Amino acid sequence: MIQKMKGTYDILPSEVGKWQALERKIRSVSKIYHYQEIRTPIFENSDLFHRSVGEHTDIVSKETYDFMDRGKRKNTLRPEGTAPVVRSYIENKMYADKLPVQKLFYMGPMFRYERPQKGRFRQFVQFGAEAFGSNSPMLDAEVIAYAVSVLKALKIKDVRVEINSLGDEESKMLYKEELLKHLAPEIDTLCHDCQTRYQSNPLRILDCKIDQDKPLLKEAPKPIDYLTKEAQSHFDELIGYLDAMDINYTINNNLVRGLDYYTHTVFEVHLNGDLLGMQTAICGGGRYNDLVKSLDGPDIPAVGFAFGVDRLMTALDAIDFQGDDDDIHLYLMILGEEQKAEAMKLVQRLRIGGILTDVDFLDKSMKAQFKLADRMNARFVAIYGAQERIDGEINVKNQKTGEEHRISTKKLYTHILTELTKPSHDCEDCEDGTCCG
Ligand code: HAM
């Protein structure tokens, strides 16, 4: 038997309702923040990720799924969504759009060849947002508030927002020099990869999984201490906005993130507790003011984030989040061969009108069909036999209350629709009037 690939999983029909409900919540919060959806290809030219995420990051050096196509072009399955969105922004000249600040979001599968464990997959889903065209810390604050609002809408409470600043190019240069000075005397004690990183990209040494806990790294200088005046005021202004917006956060001076493109703000949202195993980051993001330019676009700043949707789902499972149910509205029991054509006509009419209807396709007995209707959690059951076809009338039973009505088949649609939209209780009892909306 062929089995699924390591680090992948199936979403079975019984679980799809939850995913759809989660996706709907994400889309509705995105709309409130006025972000528009963008969909980019699942594979891109490999150079895109080398030149953006960074040659010396773990993602690009160890985790990409690369393949040569038949035209001998190098392709990479996207490991993240920022670089493809930036590519599309430049290629489609979105910077020339009538809206000077373009606010985009995306949701879809990403691929990283990582060691699978709880909360870490080789194919996983990211929901991300990218906002282009302003260097204002107001936009950083909006993006962080947007991420927090998604969690609020999903009622995921036990989270920690961590922020830091890496500063602008000049701050990063200053910091790099200090870091190199600090590491130089003990460079031999670092792992082989970090010794290479020392030459090529020393900042990445800070997120090395092997050396991370060594005192040399723990005592390393912090980017926040090397910010230029402008970078410091960007960070101070951001904090002012977050405070004004009542967003809870903690400043984590060790936060550097594992991708090369960040400048100024970086942030992560972590889930407290051990729900996700070792992986507690549910969302990561930051500002990347030089990326558009470095990918041959104009000099346009940007900021964004991405959530691991699979991790969101794990968090939702823990709080017993109820997704869309897959109950049907009406089960139509067809009795007798001669009734089938008329019954299918009736079913088609109901379905066109939006009534979720199902029937039996295996000529089962009445008893077996009642069982089937139960398994489908049918809200109503109607029996269509010879007498019903002759009379043009049908008995409809509400499975919950046991109430039964005999009505004209012509009125079946209106009857079901009216019953379905009836509030399940007296709405005056609702605390905020939203439960039946
Ligand atoms: P990232 O931190 O690499 O950032 O990924 C963002 C989120 O994706 C993580 O916090 C985590 O929840 C989820 N994630 C990452 N890898 C895996 C995995 N193997 N299995 C399950 N979930 C995973 C980025 O990707 C940036 N593009 C974020 C960004 C957008 N920065 C600016 N704009």
Side-chain angles (χ1 to χ4, degrees), residues 330-387:
L330 176 72
Y331 181 87
L332 188 72
M333 200 176 290
I334 309 170
L335 301 179
E337 197 62 31
E338 312 76 45
Q339 276 62 253
K340 283 185 177 168
E342 272 305 305
M344 287 311 279
K345 188 169 150 185
L346 193 56
V347 166
Q348 183 65 358
R349 250 193 1 237
L350 294 167
R351 284 175 170 165
I352 286 172
I355 308 283
L356 232 142
T357 313
D358 216 339
V359 293
D360 157 54
F361 298 94
L362 300 171
D363 295 326
K364 297 244 184 225
S365 68
M366 228 168 135
K367 192 173 162 204
Q369 288 201 54
F370 268 120
K371 262 195 192 155
L372 191 59
D374 273 346
R375 276 195 213 128
M376 291 182 181
N377 290 328
R379 305 264 300 270
F380 297 89
V381 174
I383 303 174
Y384 194 73
Q387 199 58 51

Side-chain angles (χ1 to χ4, degrees), residues 121-146:
F121 307 96
R122 290 186 171 168
Q123 175 174 332
F124 58 100
V125 177
Q126 274 190 348
F127 145 58
E130 315 293 349
F132 297 88
S134 167
N135 188 34
S136 167
M138 244 170 81
L139 196 56
D140 306 39
E142 173 178 284
V143 157
I144 295 173
Y146 173 14

Side-chain angles (χ1 to χ4, degrees), residues 164-176 178 222-237 239 251 253 255 263-266:
N164 194 20
S165 175
L166 304 179
D168 47 22
E169 259 322 296
E170 196 186 330
S171 325
K172 280 169 79 178
M173 286 296 287
L174 281 171
Y175 174 64
K176 194 169 135 184
E178 285 308 308
K222 313 278 180 234
I224 201 95
D225 296 322
Y226 298 89
L227 299 186
T228 58
K229 223 168 124 203
E230 292 77 36
Q232 184 65 53
S233 73
H234 186 104
F235 194 51
D236 294 342
E237 219 181 297
I239 284 174
I251 296 176
N253 290 334
L255 184 66
T263 52
H264 292 287
T265 315
V266 284

